[in-house]
């Protein structure tokens, strides 16, 4: 490493945030990234640890010590080359990845981990600013055609890799814009959509064709398709027109909460609420947008999607925001010798929580209360673990006021339409059944049909989607050509 003793000399420096009062006025990104000097110092903290567990902690296996060393030495151009060798879209992961690499950092055993995510963020932003991110055209065309169904991170990563291998790639996306949950699930204040747009431009220059507003399903001839798609194409048509088909849609089936009062007006899935604001930010005109202005908002679900609902509700001007989590409140600091290098369970406070939110742990929803068909409150009860089971705490019931309830309890599986249309076998959770073996990986039971990303593994992180997209691209390339030079 450039500075062997750096981890003993320098402290971790977090990226900065704009003041809460400022950032709540808009939907722009508010993270203040590291400047070149700060990034150099943070890179100097990377230890010469011999076995860099961060590489395995990172789902795409970023070569972290190498790009840290290059940043320390001021060689930013080679740093982005190293970063791009394993990650097609570091501007996505550098903003919204929870950084499992940092949990696995050797320094994290008894000190603050190296700020890997902030360094990655600095590298890719510098690369775009310097004009180093350019289309990579294939040296030859193979004549093979591939359909990628789903333009989320898995589909985008796969499409880019396959285009660079010389194949003709067409990406089909049911929504009006490319990006999947990156576009219509992640709030703009966490990741502005210009980052997706410029990657799409790069990929188009590399030969990728995007067809938006197209739903892949076998629909009746008189069907109006959907309220978001303009046209449809059947699975049989795709299989007939292309040499291979890769399914990379998301796990979009939201987990419901079937308790009394669920039918009341004002109770919505998070994925009804969040995409609407993203569409408005993009300039779309929506009638009857779900908004939290002046309302008492209850968010049920303590994960990232719930946090995104909190941040969006605060920007709407909610009167109050309360977030429920069924599990007990975790410790503020993890037991590092016990959990390292694995992802630890600990209390995590997001920037949205800091903007204003009451957090309730070990709480369950028993009933939604309402008047004249509209939700007015939530009846809850405290819960605790006893003998390996979750039981209600006697006498702990209470009623909280609610004008808007957002269900953010995760996703159970992909919407079945696409998988059923292709006849793809499913696993016990309703995901596409496909292995990740080195030979024949990502293949489904249907000839020349592959599956990757959330559609195969279930709800997961953006970085896992990118990994699966890259690996599936290699599997498809091997299937078509007999061998592949694409990295796995």
């Amino acid at each position: 490493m450039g500075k062997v003793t750096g981890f003993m000399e320098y402290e971790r420096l977090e990226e900065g945030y704009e003041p809460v009062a400022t950032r709540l006025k808009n939907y722009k990104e508010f993270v203040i990234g590291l400047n070149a000097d700060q990034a150099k110092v943070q890179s100097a903290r990377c230890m010469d640890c011999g076995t860099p567990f961060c590489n395995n902690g990172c789902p795409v296996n970023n070569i972290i010590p190498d790009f840290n060393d290059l940043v320390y030495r001021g060689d930013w151009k080679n740093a982005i080359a190293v970063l791009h060798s394993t990650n097609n879209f570091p501007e996505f992961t550098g903003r919204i990845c929870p950084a499992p690499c940092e949990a696995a950092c050797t320094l994290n055993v008894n000190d603050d981990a190296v700020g890997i995510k902030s360094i990655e963020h600095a590298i890719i932003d510098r690369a775009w600013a310097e004009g180093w991110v350019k289309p990579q055209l294939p040296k030859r065309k193979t004549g093979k055609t591939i359909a990628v169904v789903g333009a989320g991170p898995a589909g985008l990563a796969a499409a880019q890799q396959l285009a660079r291998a010389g194949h003709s790639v067409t990406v089909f996306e049911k929504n009006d814009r490319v990006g999947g949950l990156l576009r219509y699930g992640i709030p703009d204040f966490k990741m502005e959509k210009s980052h997706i747009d410029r990657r799409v431009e790069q990929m188009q220059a590399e030969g990728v064709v995007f067809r938006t507003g197209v739903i892949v399903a076998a629909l009746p001839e008189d069907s109006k398709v959907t309220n978001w798609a303009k046209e449809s194409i059947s699975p049989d048509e795709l299989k007939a027109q292309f040499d291979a088909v890769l399914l990379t849609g998301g796990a979009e089936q939201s987990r419901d909460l079937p308790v009394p009062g669920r039918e009341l007006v004002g109770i919505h899935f998070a994925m009804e609420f969040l995409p609407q604001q993203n569409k408005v930010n993009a300039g779309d005109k929506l009638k009857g947008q779900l908004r939290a202005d002046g309302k008492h908002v209850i968010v049920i679900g303590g994960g990232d999607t719930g946090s995104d609902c909190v941040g969006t509700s605060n920007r709407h001007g909610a009167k109050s925001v309360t977030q429920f989590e069924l599990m007990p409140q975790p410790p503020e600091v993890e037991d590092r010798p016990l959990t390292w290098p694995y992802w630890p369970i600990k209390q995590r406070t997001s920037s949205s929580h800091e903007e204003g939110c009451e957090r309730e742990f070990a709480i369950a929803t028993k009933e939604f209360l309402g008047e004249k068909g509209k939700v007015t409150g939530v009846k809850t009860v405290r819960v605790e673990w006893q003998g390996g089971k979750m039981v209600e705490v006697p006498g702990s019931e209470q009623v909280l006021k609610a004008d808007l309830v957002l269900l953010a309890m995760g996703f159970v599986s992909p919407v079945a339409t696409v998988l059923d249309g292709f006849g793809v076998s499913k696993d016990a959770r309703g995901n596409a059944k496909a292995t990740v073996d080195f030979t024949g990986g990502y293949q489904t039971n249907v000839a020349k049909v592959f599956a990757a990303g959330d559609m195969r593994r279930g709800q997961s992180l953006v970085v896992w989607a990118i990994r699966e997209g890259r690996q599936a691209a290699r599997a498809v390339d091997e299937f078509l050509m007999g061998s592949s030079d694409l990295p796995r």
Side-chain angles (χ1 to χ4, degrees), residues 21-341:
T22 300
R23 67 195 198 222
L24 284 180
K25 295 177 181 178
N26 57 65
Y27 293 88
K28 299 293 186 182
E29 291 180 12
F30 53 81
V31 173
I32 303 171
L34 304 181
N35 62 35
D37 291 337
Q38 291 170 332
K40 176 178 180 178
V41 170
Q42 291 307 294
S43 296
R45 298 187 70 243
C46 187
M47 305 169 67
D48 186 11
C49 60
T51 303
F53 288 90
C54 57
N55 288 8
N56 285 336
C58 172
V60 292
N61 302 124
N62 278 338
I63 312 170
I64 294 164
D66 291 44
F67 68 63
N68 282 341
D69 183 52
L70 289 165
V71 169
Y72 175 76
R73 298 179 186 279
D75 191 352
W76 291 81
K77 196 168 186 178
N78 274 323
I80 187 57
V82 170
L83 184 50
H84 267 151
S85 71
T86 56
N87 186 353
N88 295 68
F89 313 119
E91 64 269 45
F92 302 166
T93 52
R95 284 170 167 80
I96 60 177
C97 181
C101 55
E102 294 186 13
C105 174
T106 302
L107 188 56
N108 194 49
V109 173
N110 61 354
D111 200 347
D112 292 330
V114 174
I116 301 166
K117 179 179 174 180
S118 63
I119 297 168
E120 178 179 349
H121 187 181
I123 294 171
I124 184 59
D125 281 8
R126 174 77 175 267
W128 279 110
E130 297 286 350
W132 297 333
V133 184
K134 300 180 182 297
Q136 297 180 27
L137 303 180
K139 296 179 180 179
R140 62 182 178 87
K141 297 293 287 185
T142 65
K144 301 293 185 179
T145 59
I146 302 163
V148 176
V149 181
L156 292 176
Q160 186 167 63
Q161 293 294 97
L162 289 165
R164 290 175 176 179
H167 304 302
S168 295
V169 183
T170 302
V171 179
F172 294 87
E173 169 58 45
K174 67 181 181 183
N175 289 306
D176 57 348
R177 298 179 179 91
V178 170
L181 289 179
L182 286 172
R183 173 77 65 177
Y184 289 130
I186 304 296
D188 288 21
F189 55 80
K190 288 177 68 174
M191 193 188 83
E192 293 177 19
K193 305 314 175 232
S194 58
H195 304 297
I196 304 173
D197 295 337
R198 61 186 178 186
R199 280 297 181 182
V200 169
E201 291 177 6
Q202 179 199 30
M203 293 174 65
Q204 288 174 324
E206 293 171 345
V208 177
V209 174
F210 291 95
R211 291 184 59 184
T212 57
V214 181
I215 187 168
V216 178
L219 300 175
E221 291 185 5
D222 60 348
S223 172
K224 296 180 181 179
V225 190
T226 66
N227 59 0
W228 67 81
K230 297 176 293 186
E231 58 180 303
S232 70
I233 185 169
S234 74
D236 287 341
E237 288 177 289
L238 277 192
K239 288 189 289 183
Q241 294 176 18
F242 293 88
D243 296 311
V245 178
L246 175 58
L247 308 178
T248 61
E252 297 178 298
Q253 190 66 53
S254 299
R255 182 174 283 108
D256 207 344
L257 186 58
V259 299
R262 172 63 179 87
E263 75 286 351
L264 292 168
V265 174
I267 303 172
H268 301 273
F269 290 117
M271 290 309 296
E272 296 175 74
F273 177 69
L274 295 173
Q276 290 190 3
Q277 186 58 56
N278 286 0
K279 285 178 175 290
V280 170
N281 293 345
D284 292 355
K285 303 295 184 182
L286 296 185
K287 292 183 179 179
Q289 180 192 358
L290 291 176
R291 292 193 58 89
D293 312 61
K295 296 179 180 178
H296 295 284
V297 180
I298 302 289
V299 178
I300 301 179
D304 288 339
T305 303
S307 171
D308 294 342
C309 290
V310 170
T312 302
S313 296
N314 281 327
R315 281 161 179 75
H316 283 182
K319 191 169 185 178
S320 69
V321 183
T322 305
Q323 185 177 21
F324 289 179
E325 169 56 61
L326 184 64
M327 302 302 292
Q329 184 171 358
E332 290 189 8
V333 179
E334 74 272 29
D335 186 342
R336 292 180 180 178
L338 179 65
T339 61
W340 180 88

Side-chain angles (χ1 to χ4, degrees), residues 1-10 44-48 72:
M1 302 309 299
K3 190 170 182 60
V4 177
T5 59
F7 71 98
M8 296 187 292
E9 298 176 29
Y10 305 120
R45 298 187 70 243
C46 187
M47 305 169 67
D48 186 11
Y72 175 76

